[in-house]
Amino acid sequence: MAALPTDDESRTFHHLYTSYAVLAVNDPALAAQPFIKNPDAAEDALTELLGQAQEATLLEPGVDPRLEAAGLLAMSAGLGTSVLVGQRSPESATAVLDHHLSRIFRTGKAVLT
């Protein structure tokens, strides 16, 4: 949810991050410079949380925490862009994330916080 532009602060972050990414695609020197200190931090943190959920048998059998973390982060980035360009509402983007979380959690319904 933190990656979705649902308020002024998160919209500003998403605009900056997306702008940097577009510029880095066209400028190899910019792409060689890290935008954030640890680009894998979010994926590592989400993988750890999903791993803890798996140990607590809260995930569906066969779920790969690392793959799900990468997919959820990529999905939230894409959904964030779709909110910024007016393709979908924050509520619609939240519903998509909730749908995918519900697929991997055994409870059948994930709660986004």
Side-chain angles (χ1 to χ4, degrees), residues 20-111:
Y20 177 86
V22 169
L23 290 171
V25 167
N26 296 305
D27 184 345
L30 184 60
Q33 300 174 22
F35 178 55
I36 55 177
K37 186 175 183 179
N38 182 358
D40 296 326
E43 185 175 322
D44 292 343
L46 187 52
T47 297
E48 176 65 27
L49 289 171
L50 290 172
Q52 290 172 13
Q54 189 172 50
E55 289 174 11
T57 66
L58 297 174
L59 299 184
E60 291 290 342
V63 168
D64 181 322
R66 175 66 64 180
L67 287 175
E68 291 297 340
L72 287 167
L73 290 170
M75 183 186 320
S76 66
L79 287 169
T81 299
S82 72
V83 169
L84 286 180
V85 301
Q87 178 186 11
R88 70 179 66 254
S89 69
E91 295 79 18
S92 173
T94 299
V96 172
L97 281 177
D98 190 48
H99 169 76
H100 285 278
L101 289 171
S102 293
R103 283 178 25 299
I104 65 173
F105 280 89
R106 294 186 121 187
T107 59
K109 175 125 176 84
V111 178

